[in-house]
Amino acid sequence: MDINSDRNFVSLKKVDLSGNGVGAAIEIEDGLEIDGSNNTITIADATINNNPGDGIDFNGSNNKVTASNISISGNGEDGIEISEGSNDNVLNLTNADIKGNTGDGLDINSDRNFVSLKKVDLSGNGVGAAIEIEDGLEIDGSNNTITVSHITSNNNPGDGIDFNGDNNKAVITGATIIGNGEDGIEISEGSDDNTLTVTKSKISNNAGEAIANRGSDNIIIH
């Protein structure tokens, strides 16, 4: 499904957006692609699995997506990607399984987005023919605001959560981050002026550090 225009109100309930982009597709297709801007989208009780591209791909700005009770698994790229240049979006995600995707579970690759995750499982991504070592949650953009409550990000080949941008603010509560191939949470080298608050979380048995700060001027509270 491609939302390729602006200012639409879209409600998807009990839908299956799986297995698209087959045959002689001209480009790698996603389960749900949002190319327009200023759209309001509600998703409930949905399955978005086994697409060759992302499960959900933001390619526009100022969109608001509220999703609950969804499965996003087995996609050929990221489970959800907010693509580079797609700024100022809002994503509210509750009760979701984002597992077993080739890329990251969730990749925030743009700026000034507001993302809320509650009861989301971001485990076991980076499978198959992944181009790089993938993470459960990767923040590549800057000036994003992220609130995380009771998520699981286990057994990813990279980090459970990886910061690769500047001036992001993240509050993480009640997370379980176990058995990842690198750090539990990493603020990568060159990622500066981020603020990270972690409370009531279990971060253990990761190959690297529980929380690694490799950037500068970051504030970490835990």
Side-chain angles (χ1 to χ4, degrees):
M1 180 176 183
D2 189 354
I3 301 171
N4 201 18
S5 57
D6 303 333
R7 298 181 300 280
N8 299 287
F9 290 84
V10 178
S11 178
L12 304 173
K13 187 173 183 179
K14 295 183 178 180
V15 297
D16 190 339
L17 300 175
S18 302
N20 297 288
V22 299
I26 297 172
E27 60 184 57
I28 297 174
E29 302 292 354
D30 308 306
L32 171 60
E33 185 171 1
I34 307 161
D35 289 322
S37 296
N38 298 292
N39 295 289
T40 301
I41 303 160
T42 303
I43 308 169
D45 305 309
T47 302
I48 309 175
N49 297 345
N50 302 317
N51 298 286
D54 300 310
I56 300 175
D57 186 9
F58 290 75
N59 276 311
S61 297
N62 293 293
N63 294 291
K64 181 178 181 181
V65 174
T66 302
S68 60
N69 301 317
I70 63 173
S71 170
I72 304 175
S73 299
N75 295 287
E77 295 184 348
D78 299 316
I80 301 176
E81 180 181 16
I82 305 178
S83 297
E84 186 175 1
S86 303
N87 303 317
D88 303 298
N89 295 285
V90 176
L91 172 63
N92 296 310
L93 190 59
T94 306
N95 293 326
D97 285 331
I98 307 177
K99 301 188 292 185
N101 299 285
T102 300
D104 299 308
L106 170 58
D107 186 0
I108 303 169
N109 201 19
S110 58
D111 304 331
R112 299 183 306 277
N113 301 287
F114 289 84
V115 176
S116 173
L117 307 178
K118 186 176 182 180
K119 296 182 180 178
V120 175
D121 193 341
L122 296 163
S123 300
N125 295 287
V127 300
I131 297 172
E132 59 185 58
I133 297 174
E134 306 289 0
D135 308 305
L137 169 59
E138 183 168 14
I139 303 107
D140 289 320
S142 297
N143 297 294
N144 295 288
T145 301
I146 302 150
T147 304
V148 173
S149 175
H150 298 96
I151 70 157
T152 303
S153 188
N154 298 344
N155 302 317
N156 299 286
D159 302 309
I161 300 175
D162 185 14
F163 290 80
N164 277 308
D166 302 326
N167 295 297
N168 296 291
K169 293 180 175 60
V171 177
I172 299 170
T173 304
T176 301
I177 304 173
I178 297 173
N180 294 286
E182 295 185 345
D183 300 308
I185 301 174
E186 180 186 20
I187 302 178
S188 299
E189 185 176 357
S191 301
D192 305 326
D193 299 300
N194 296 282
T195 301
L196 170 64
T197 303
V198 182
T199 59
K200 299 180 181 178
S201 296
K202 183 176 182 179
I203 308 172
S204 63
N205 296 318
N206 299 286
E209 299 182 37
I211 301 175
N213 179 18
R214 299 187 173 96
S216 300
D217 300 313
N218 297 294
I219 300 171
I220 300 175
I221 303 167
H222 64 96

